[in-house]
């Protein structure tokens, strides 16, 4: 299991506002916060990977098409949870890449939605079950 993932962001305040509002829909809660890093952990004492945000040390735009992080996928227990996470992302002004739907090109069942965070990082909510 991966212990944690760290992402550099150009605007910590904007990242905190966005992720504080979104991550509860993806099964996470705040672990701690400072000016130099923000940590989120799986909610409800579930095991899993922690997510950390750090201030970027060098200027430059992020691209999921270059070497490095391509996207983050959050596994959810139901299709309705995918829809709720997607709806919250839309409320937060995220650019939606794929509305919630089946993706037959991936091993079934694969029901997911994809969008960009304020810094261009692609996020995915996915359910690997045939249930709402």
């Amino acid at each position: 299991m991966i212990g944690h993932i760290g992402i550099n962001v150009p605007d910590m305040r904007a990242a905190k506002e966005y992720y504080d509002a979104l991550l509860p829909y993806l099964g996470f809660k705040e672990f701690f916060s400072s000016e130099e890093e923000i940590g989120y952990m799986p909610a409800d004492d579930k095991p899993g990977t922690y997510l950390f945000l750090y201030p970027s040390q060098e200027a430059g735009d992020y691209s999921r098409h270059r070497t490095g992080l391509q996207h983050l996928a959050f596994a959810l227990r139901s299709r309705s949870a995918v829809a709720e996470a997607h709806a919250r992302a839309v409320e937060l002004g995220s650019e939606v890449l794929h509305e919630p739907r089946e993706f037959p090109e991936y091993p079934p069942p694969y029901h997911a939605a994809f969008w960009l965070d304020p810094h261009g990082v692609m996020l995915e909510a996915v359910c690997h079950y045939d249930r709402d």
Side-chain angles (χ1 to χ4, degrees), residues 15-35:
K16 180 166 179 28
E17 287 177 16
Y18 182 82
Y19 282 97
D20 280 358
L22 178 68
L23 286 179
Y25 291 83
L26 298 171
F28 283 77
K29 66 180 183 180
E30 187 176 287
F31 176 50
F32 74 94
S33 179
S34 74
E35 290 184 14

Side-chain angles (χ1 to χ4, degrees), residues 112-132:
F114 295 81
W115 64 90
L116 301 180
D117 83 352
H119 312 293
V121 175
M122 184 167 63
L123 303 177
E124 173 186 359
V126 60
C127 177
H128 295 285
Y129 305 104
D130 284 323
R131 64 179 177 222
D132 281 328

Side-chain angles (χ1 to χ4, degrees), residues 3-9 12 31-32 37-41 49-54:
H4 64 271
I5 295 172
I7 300 174
N8 293 336
V9 296
M12 289 288 282
F31 176 50
F32 74 94
E37 84 187 289
I38 303 164
Y40 298 94
M41 63 187 287
T49 305
Y50 286 47
L51 176 63
F52 289 89
L53 305 176
Y54 304 99

